[in-house]
Amino acid sequence: MLVLKFGGTSVGSVENMTNVKNIIRGEGKKIVVLSAMSGTTNALVNISENIKNGEKEMAISNIDTLYQKHLVTIDELLHKSELKQEVGNYINLVFDFLKSRVNESYSELLYNKIVSQGELLSTFIFSHYLTQEGLNARLLPALDFMRIDRNGDPDNFYIHRNLNRVIDEILPADIYITQGFICLDADGNIANLERGGSDYTATIIGSVINADEVQIWTDIDGFHNNDPRCVENTHAISNLSFDEAAELAYFGAKILHPQTVMPVRKFDIPVRLKNTMSPEAHGTLINSEIHGDGIKAIAAKDNITAIKIKSARMLQAHGFLKKVFEIFEKYETSIDMITTSEIAISLTIDDATYLKSITEELKKFALVAIDQNQSIVCLVGHSIIFHEDTHKLFQVLKDVNIRMISYGGSNNNISLLVHMDDKVATLKKVHSYVFEAVSLVS
Ligand code: ADP
Ligand code: ASP
Ligand code: MG
């Protein structure tokens, strides 16, 4: 069985939904995971912000704009009146629900309920569209099987048992349509896999049903060698190993949710990235094979906080690092980059929720300096640390103010920490040198 995931742009217009229908109508059973229509989750996040800030009129007006967008879509997409009526009723229910929440006091649960509506809407609309077009498709409600545990990790036992149960219970179909992103938490409340989480839904399902392949269909022809939003002349990479893709996704390549590769890597289930608007393009195949060495791609992750911790005594003083790490452990804050000198240690975190408490605890035995608004620029490729040209990188970067470098932590990754204002320039410089053979080195 195949799992195919279509992102926001792919279900964001009638034309693109038609492309999706043509892609999935072929032979074989498949599970199709859909995101919300493009812009919808952002709009829902804004609505929940409006509620949080007591901006009731703004919330109602934003709800109405989103309502109109969905009505216009079904008007164009559905021409059978009973189907249009049924989907219209569902859309009304969802938007009545949203309006009824405007006076409620804000909570995380309310946020989760609000942002989940985007995927519920897109899958309801799209599955009815497939029925109209004569395809044998059924809705597979993600909330009947997708659950995370107390650590936020997929509860594979629960998902396995319930996904198979739900498939057995509903009428057999060629195509099962389900919601990406949304899930239940360990207490059975509605939750989600964080922004961009539909990719993760697809690979979790792929691993649980032992899919032949997971396909991620998006608005670009595969994984590019740099962020196309920041750098010109990027191109799609035809093959990536699981390790390379995992590093790039973790370090900010927006095309994949950071955890996407995890569920399928251990089962060797390939992931193929494809372009819904250009299905004939090769795209990117991610599997366990290794193709070539040297720097293959560059990605960047923003909003990083760097913490310099200077030992009041010598760093060598035994137990110092242990004490530092225990504090991060206590606040469940993971560390991305780390460098040490004789008297100080610098490290980065991307979740600064507990920064204040962490700093207070560190200050009990060390001097602490914080730099916010940093970016990690990450260069990835098989064995790049051994590649003959890699050392020249540091000359290329002579004009960039680098706060930290991590080299050798893994053979496949070199990470640079720069101020967010320098990120685009750094990406461009490294790109020209590595991929366009521009000799910046004198
Ligand atoms: P979807 O809605 O289909 O999940 P996303 O917007 O999440 O799509 O991801 C696709 C976008 O990721 C592309 O349009 C592109 O702008 C951005 N992107 C960032 N880095 C990369 C990269 N290295 N390769 C391809 N796309 C990238
Ligand atoms: N709709 C969700 C988001 O915008 C999940 C996704 O698109 O993958 O974050
Ligand atoms: Mg995405």
Side-chain angles (χ1 to χ4, degrees):
M1 186 131 76
L2 287 183
V3 179
L4 295 90
K5 175 259 170 176
F6 293 87
T9 314
S10 306
V11 291
S13 68
V14 170
E15 193 190 339
N16 291 347
M17 285 195 214
T18 313
N19 289 339
V20 175
K21 177 197 72 182
N22 292 333
I23 291 166
I24 62 179
R25 71 181 324 160
E27 295 278 289
K29 273 190 187 272
K30 43 195 81 99
I31 297 184
V32 173
V33 176
L34 300 185
S35 297
M37 292 179 72
S38 54
T40 300
T41 311
N42 283 347
L44 292 166
V45 169
N46 284 340
I47 291 163
S48 76
E49 279 295 304
N50 295 148
I51 296 174
K52 190 175 183 178
N53 299 331
E55 301 156 349
K56 291 183 191 169
E57 276 171 28
M58 186 70 98
I60 294 286
S61 143
N62 285 333
I63 291 170
D64 207 49
T65 308
L66 198 57
Y67 178 55
Q68 294 305 332
K69 173 178 151 167
H70 282 84
L71 284 189
V72 168
T73 304
I74 63 158
D75 216 39
E76 215 184 311
L77 192 68
L78 303 173
H79 45 78
K80 288 198 172 156
S81 60
E82 335 78 82
L83 283 176
K84 196 181 264 190
Q85 180 79 40
E86 193 184 340
V87 177
N89 288 346
Y90 183 78
I91 293 179
N92 286 342
L93 271 179
V94 167
F95 284 90
D96 285 349
F97 164 80
L98 288 173
K99 282 190 210 133
S100 74
R101 300 290 138 157
V102 165
N103 293 314
E104 208 169 279
S105 53
Y106 180 84
S107 65
E108 198 184 320
L109 182 57
L110 180 63
Y111 169 88
N112 287 341
K113 283 182 185 164
I114 291 174
V115 297
S116 70
Q117 302 304 320
E119 273 71 12
L120 292 170
L121 283 163
S122 65
T123 48
F124 199 89
I125 294 171
F126 190 72
S127 60
H128 283 76
Y129 165 60
L130 292 185
T131 305
Q132 169 183 281
E133 300 301 303
L135 274 72
N136 181 13
R138 308 244 164 242
L139 207 48
L140 193 66
L143 298 181
D144 286 354
F145 64 87
M146 188 57 77
R147 193 169 83 163
I148 49 173
D149 63 20
R150 294 205 187 278
N151 298 322
D153 294 323
D155 183 342
N156 286 321
F157 179 76
Y158 179 97
I159 298 167
H160 189 271
R161 203 181 48 189
N162 286 285
L163 178 56
N164 287 321
R165 179 184 55 79
V166 182
I167 290 179
D168 286 345
E169 274 173 18
I170 60 178
L171 290 172
D174 299 329
I175 302 170
Y176 296 102
I177 307 285
T178 194
Q179 299 84 20
F181 178 59
I182 64 173
C183 61
L184 298 179
D185 67 15
D187 297 318
N189 290 318
I190 191 152
N192 59 67
L193 301 172
E194 300 189 350
R195 295 303 308 272
S198 301
D199 304 328
Y200 197 23
T201 303
T203 52
I204 295 169
I205 293 177
S207 73
V208 161
I209 64 162
N210 195 19
D212 297 317
E213 181 170 291
V214 176
Q215 298 182 352
I216 307 229
W217 290 80
T218 181
D219 57 4
I220 191 165
D221 53 352
F223 211 119
H224 278 220
N225 58 349
N226 205 330
D227 189 333
R229 295 165 303 171
C230 303
V231 179
E232 284 169 13
N233 301 324
T234 60
H235 66 76
I237 306 165
S238 48
N239 293 83
L240 282 172
S241 69
F242 285 125
D243 290 348
E244 290 165 340
E247 298 248 26
L248 287 163
Y250 182 76
F251 284 107
K254 188 187 176 238
I255 186 167
L256 286 183
H257 178 280
Q259 308 295 330
T260 308
V261 174
M262 303 306 162
V264 286
R265 172 163 48 184
K266 56 179 179 287
F267 300 113
D268 208 0
I269 299 170
V271 177
R272 200 181 287 274
L273 308 185
K274 295 281 288 176
N275 188 347
T276 306
M277 278 57 82
S278 172
E280 65 293 340
H282 176 275
T284 302
L285 178 62
I286 303 169
N287 60 17
S288 53
E289 287 167 25
I290 289 157
H291 291 255
D293 56 10
I295 299 171
K296 226 179 227 179
I298 307 164
K301 182 156 141 181
D302 294 333
N303 295 314
I304 300 293
T305 303
I307 308 173
K308 185 183 276 175
I309 306 154
K310 215 165 161 189
S311 169
R313 291 171 56 215
M314 301 287 273
L315 183 63
Q316 285 166 342
H318 107 138
F320 178 75
L321 286 177
K322 179 166 179 274
K323 263 165 56 184
V324 169
F325 291 140
E326 272 170 0
I327 293 169
F328 287 87
E329 170 70 23
K330 177 173 164 192
Y331 291 99
E332 293 179 355
T333 299
S334 58
I335 296 168
D336 284 333
M337 281 175 79
I338 178 157
T339 57
T340 61
S341 75
E342 193 202 357
I343 53 156
I345 160 173
S346 268
L347 47 81
T348 69
I349 56 172
D350 81 338
D351 177 2
T353 315
Y354 299 107
L355 181 62
K356 194 163 172 283
S357 312
I358 290 171
T359 311
E360 273 164 19
E361 294 216 24
L362 289 169
K363 278 185 173 163
K364 289 180 190 156
F365 61 92
L367 301 169
V368 181
I370 309 283
D371 287 321
Q372 281 176 306
N373 302 322
Q374 307 287 307
S375 294
I376 295 178
V377 171
C378 173
L379 289 69
V380 170
H382 180 64
S383 286
I384 55 170
I385 67 158
F386 303 121
H387 197 261
E388 56 199 26
D389 280 345
T390 298
H391 70 279
K392 291 186 197 156
L393 181 69
F394 302 110
Q395 290 163 293
V396 176
L397 295 173
K398 63 183 185 294
D399 304 328
V400 183
N401 195 2
I402 299 177
R403 166 76 174 72
M404 273 169 76
I405 296 176
S406 170
Y407 184 104
S410 110
N411 291 349
N412 306 330
N413 168 329
I414 299 169
S415 298
L416 314 169
L417 188 72
V418 298
H419 194 277
M420 266 164 65
D421 294 345
D422 296 331
K423 177 189 83 170
V424 174
T426 309
L427 287 175
K428 284 183 174 161
K429 278 201 176 102
V430 181
H431 190 87
S432 309
Y433 169 67
V434 178
F435 302 122
E436 293 173 349
V438 173
S439 180
L440 300 172
V441 185
S442 51

